[in-house]
Amino acid sequence: QSIVSEALQATMSELAAAAPPGAILEVGVYLGGTAQALERVARAKGERLWLYDTFAGLPWADPDKGDRLPVGQFADGLTFEECKYIFDHAAVQAGIFPHGGVIPPAIGFAHLDVDQYRSVREAIDAIVPRLVPDGVILLDDFCLPGCERAVLETPHKGDAPLRLNVLEDGRAVLRRRGMP
């Protein structure tokens, strides 16, 4: 049962479908609602879906960086085994992203739903070097102070490789500038 709104699924599906060729990632699977939408897009585009989760809830919290949720929050989501069963064509990775596991070399679209400063910061740092030109990162939790801080610390002005677009629903999009 999904707690994901149809509007979010539509926005995410549209962004992922329009993204350039490359792997499709989701970091933070929880109950799998957005992963289902991404799976449909990945199949339609002939791309591989990569799903990453701790399967134990949030791994850390730093209130000094703006985090408001406790360690372990969202531990009631899918188990690793359930995720592998439901998304049998996806590359399902257990652990704290990006530590351990495999990350594809060319990423066209990534959805980050990790809720905390450090997780957002480390995910962006790992994904951006692999993000293809015009590739997209959809940040689910830009409305949370820790996540916003992590995103705003990412270079996205002037000659930086990323453009930031804040959406009306509290999410944000980072897009890698295309090659000149």
Side-chain angles (χ1 to χ4, degrees):
Q1 159 174 324
S2 176
I3 60 171
V4 178
S5 73
E6 288 182 24
L8 170 58
Q9 285 192 13
T11 297
M12 185 176 48
S13 295
E14 182 180 306
L15 285 167
I24 297 175
L25 274 67
E26 178 167 69
V27 184
V29 177
Y30 190 45
L31 298 174
T34 51
Q36 289 175 346
L38 289 176
E39 182 179 48
R40 287 189 292 273
V41 173
R43 285 179 188 254
K45 292 179 76 170
E47 297 290 355
R48 184 84 190 259
L49 176 63
W50 296 73
L51 300 174
Y52 302 86
D53 203 293
T54 64
F55 300 103
L58 299 176
W60 38 59
D62 187 347
D64 292 338
K65 298 281 188 181
D67 294 340
R68 295 184 176 164
L69 300 172
V71 169
Q73 180 81 30
F74 305 118
D76 60 337
L78 295 175
T79 66
F80 175 73
E81 292 78 16
E82 290 169 332
C83 193
K84 284 195 63 82
Y85 177 77
I86 294 167
F87 302 103
D88 60 339
H89 294 307
V92 179
Q93 308 279 313
I96 300 172
F97 184 86
H99 309 286
V102 175
I103 303 171
I107 299 167
F109 178 86
H111 176 234
L112 301 184
D113 189 359
V114 293
D115 302 283
Q116 306 289 57
Y117 171 86
R118 182 173 171 186
S119 295
V120 170
R121 175 82 262 138
E122 290 183 359
I124 289 172
D125 289 347
I127 291 170
V128 167
R130 295 170 172 87
L131 201 60
V132 301
D134 297 319
V136 173
I137 301 172
L138 175 62
L139 299 127
D140 195 73
D141 306 302
F142 188 75
C143 58
L144 299 175
C147 297
E148 180 181 1
R149 180 176 181 167
V151 172
L152 294 178
E153 289 177 1
T154 301
H156 55 80
K157 296 178 183 164
D159 294 335
L162 300 173
R163 293 186 314 262
L164 173 66
N165 181 28
V166 179
L167 306 178
E168 292 178 11
D169 64 0
R171 292 173 176 81
V173 174
L174 284 174
R175 186 178 306 269
R176 184 177 191 113
R177 295 179 195 274
M179 298 300 176

